[in-house]
Amino acid sequence: MSNRPNSTTIAAIATPLGRGGIGVIRLSGSKAVQITEQLTGKPIAQARQAAFARFLDADVDGSHATIDEGLVLYFPGPNSFTGEDVVELQGHGGIVVQNALLARLLALGATAAGAGEFSSRAFANGKMDLVQAEAIADLIDAASSQAARSAIRSLQGEFSTRIQTVLEQLIHLRLHVEAAIDFPEEEIDFLADGRILALLEQVIAAIKSVFASARQGQLLREGLQVVIAGKPNAGKSSLLNALAGVDRAIVTHIAGTTRDVLHERITLNGLPITLTDTAGLRETDDLVEIEGIRRAYTQIEQADLLLLVYDLTQDTEPLALAKEFFEDDLHHNLDKKRLIFIGNKADLSTHDVGIGEKDGFRQITLSAKQKLGIDDLVQLISQQAGYQPEENTFIARTRHIDALSRCLISLDDARVQLVDYRAGELMAESLRLSQNALSEITGEFTADDLLGKIFGSFCIGK
């Protein structure tokens, strides 16, 4: 977030640079109207009414060349996106004409906007809270229609409303606890009468509900890193092609065909997934294949979900294979929540297609080549990731999950102080910390450096 005073008038190209029918440049600040009138050579149009104008270059020998022509839209503050006077110039799309027009605005006194500076001004002027500001960027970056719908819900305030509701419950609870501390001479022990514990349990249940929805929103926003690993010729590339729905990976009977990692961005059940095919894991003297295997292990370490593919016609003990492949990091790679065994080539074996368990791990038998069992695998991936698509999901970020986690930790500590020790002062401190953690989500209690990181990730012009 920029440290410039809000009195500065900023300008930026708001549409992607490139060849197009329309290009929009946005101004915001106290001099937006003045600069626009100098640019067009005539008074600003009425508020929220489009007016045609020519965008004029500097005066040369008593005349002004036309840079471009288009529409002018004026939104007076505080009823604008940023809460300031905002002007949008809708000209023609094109790198040369857009840059020339922006340069003219800067020459007339505007300042080039930084990343996310329009949104940060909207936040600073109370036009939206931090969750809604983040939702703008998340809507732009949405990788699936479900993610876009969730971002819209956050932008419209659904996430903020749920947080605010819990905050009000938490503040109400704090008032009861503070009263119990401030009036110790009362004959009734307010900390022991059960009401405060009941209120605390209500707040904890509400936070857990918000956390569950936020976790779904985080998956929608960040997606899932799914890595396919296994021996050569186990059918890894065929599985990637089957899940992607296109022939992205080369499939041959020759062992070691895949020598580098191959990424494919797909959407399964509305969940954005980066699917990675890797080189077959085996001992080899081929230097190129050795490098491919090294890269495969790097991807395996970074995976959210690991699909270990094995050939049903040759291997029957996938756990033994996993221990052979991952002997250097068994604890991480043999995590039952992270690893799925994929028995492939069911069409060439006596095994039935379906989902089951093997050595305590989730397993599915399928035929990638014949595309048998692929729908079951899609469902299994969603289940293993904890993804349950809901119509009321809102978009969420890692920082939201972190804040909710810290809030729950503080609330659990408050319960211990209440139930085990009847320590009102310590309980009150835990409740204060939990309220601060919640307030970070909407921006009511947020450090400036965090705001800078958040808005710095936005695109220019937004």
Side-chain angles (χ1 to χ4, degrees):
M1 187 170 69
S2 173
N3 291 322
R4 278 198 292 265
N6 281 0
S7 59
T8 303
T9 298
I10 55 175
I13 299 171
T15 46
L17 284 174
R19 186 173 182 269
I22 298 174
V24 176
I25 291 183
R26 172 184 284 172
L27 297 101
S28 178
S30 59
K31 294 184 179 179
V33 172
Q34 175 187 327
I35 291 172
T36 301
E37 290 178 342
Q38 290 178 273
L39 176 74
T40 61
K42 63 181 184 179
I44 195 76
Q46 292 185 9
R48 289 173 289 279
Q49 290 188 15
F52 176 81
R54 289 186 173 84
F55 308 141
L56 307 176
D57 206 343
D59 185 351
V60 178
D61 297 329
S63 63
H64 295 268
T66 299
I67 300 173
D68 194 10
E69 59 184 24
L71 299 179
V72 176
L73 275 169
Y74 168 46
F75 305 92
N79 299 317
S80 68
F81 175 72
T82 63
E84 306 170 334
D85 285 350
V86 172
V87 176
E88 289 190 358
L89 307 175
Q90 300 183 6
H92 296 91
I95 295 176
V96 174
V97 67
Q98 288 276 281
N99 282 334
L101 183 52
L102 178 60
R104 178 62 181 147
L105 293 173
L106 300 183
L108 290 172
T111 301
E117 193 165 357
F118 289 92
S119 296
S120 70
R121 290 193 177 195
F123 169 70
N125 292 328
K127 302 300 292 185
M128 63 180 68
D129 64 28
L130 195 53
V131 169
Q132 292 171 300
E134 290 171 312
I136 295 172
D138 294 333
L139 179 60
I140 294 170
D141 295 334
S144 69
S145 58
Q146 180 69 34
R149 288 194 296 270
S150 296
I152 280 290
R153 281 190 283 272
S154 287
L155 180 59
Q156 292 175 335
E158 290 190 24
F159 189 8
S160 303
T161 298
R162 291 188 65 177
I163 293 296
Q164 193 59 44
T165 299
V166 181
L167 270 172
E168 290 172 2
Q169 291 179 295
L170 186 51
I171 292 170
H172 183 63
L173 172 59
R174 287 189 67 191
L175 290 175
H176 278 77
V177 174
E178 296 291 347
I181 296 171
D182 292 341
F183 301 101
E185 68 278 1
E186 297 291 336
E187 294 182 3
I188 301 174
D189 184 356
F190 290 101
L191 293 177
D193 70 358
R195 183 176 182 182
I196 287 180
L197 179 59
L199 290 174
L200 177 59
E201 295 291 357
Q202 289 177 13
V203 172
I204 291 174
I207 290 294
K208 287 182 176 179
S209 175
V210 175
F211 184 91
S213 295
R215 175 58 184 151
Q216 299 301 308
Q218 182 191 33
L219 284 171
L220 279 174
R221 179 183 182 273
E222 299 181 1
L224 201 66
Q225 302 290 325
V226 178
V227 172
I228 304 172
K231 283 184 175 181
N233 275 358
K236 301 183 299 301
S237 297
S238 295
L239 182 60
L240 180 139
N241 290 341
L243 287 169
V246 293
D247 291 336
R248 283 283 286 115
I250 298 174
V251 178
T252 74
H253 67 281
I254 302 172
T257 299
T258 301
R259 295 191 168 201
D260 200 353
V261 295
L262 177 63
H263 301 288
E264 181 70 7
R265 186 77 170 173
I266 63 175
T267 301
L268 300 179
N269 279 351
L271 177 62
I273 289 178
T274 300
L275 196 60
T276 301
D277 186 19
T278 59
L281 306 178
R282 67 170 177 175
E283 294 291 333
T284 179
D285 295 326
D286 188 307
L287 293 179
V288 177
E289 194 173 352
I290 288 173
E291 175 59 19
I293 293 171
R294 185 195 68 77
R295 296 185 182 189
Y297 276 112
T298 298
Q299 295 297 317
I300 288 168
E301 289 302 306
Q302 298 172 353
D304 296 315
L305 200 61
L306 177 59
L307 309 183
L308 182 58
V309 183
Y310 66 99
D311 187 341
L312 288 169
T313 67
Q314 297 183 18
D315 298 305
T316 57
E317 298 298 332
L319 183 58
L321 282 177
K323 290 179 177 179
E324 175 188 342
F325 293 149
F326 310 134
E327 58 184 351
D328 293 335
D329 195 356
L330 287 174
H331 176 74
H332 177 64
N333 290 309
L334 293 187
D335 183 350
K336 289 184 172 63
K337 294 181 180 179
R338 184 173 178 268
L339 177 61
I340 298 177
F341 292 140
I342 310 291
N344 189 30
K345 304 185 182 180
D347 56 316
L348 302 179
S349 72
T350 59
H351 295 78
D352 293 328
V353 172
I355 298 175
E357 285 197 7
K358 184 74 172 179
D359 300 313
F361 291 85
R362 300 302 301 274
Q363 171 178 284
I364 181 170
T365 55
L366 51 77
S367 170
K369 184 177 181 180
Q370 300 298 328
K371 296 181 175 57
L372 301 175
I374 298 300
D375 290 341
D376 289 338
L377 177 57
V378 170
Q379 295 298 324
L380 184 55
I381 289 173
S382 296
Q383 293 172 12
Q384 201 79 347
Y387 175 64
Q388 299 174 330
E390 302 172 355
E391 282 306 312
N392 61 348
T393 298
F394 45 77
I395 210 73
R397 296 184 170 205
T398 299
R399 78 168 192 91
H400 303 149
I401 299 295
D402 175 66
L404 289 168
S405 297
R406 286 186 283 113
C407 178
L408 279 173
I409 290 171
S410 294
L411 290 174
D412 286 338
D413 184 66
R415 181 198 282 147
V416 170
Q417 300 303 332
L418 173 64
V419 175
D420 295 349
Y421 303 111
R422 293 286 186 267
E425 291 84 357
L426 295 178
M427 180 187 182
E429 175 62 14
S430 294
L431 293 178
R432 184 187 69 82
L433 293 174
S434 64
Q435 182 179 338
N436 286 349
L438 270 190
S439 297
E440 287 179 17
I441 294 177
T442 57
E444 293 178 30
F445 181 83
T446 307
D448 287 342
D449 59 342
L450 176 60
L451 294 179
K453 290 180 181 178
I454 290 171
F455 288 110
S457 67
F458 284 33
C459 56
I460 301 294
K462 201 59 184 175

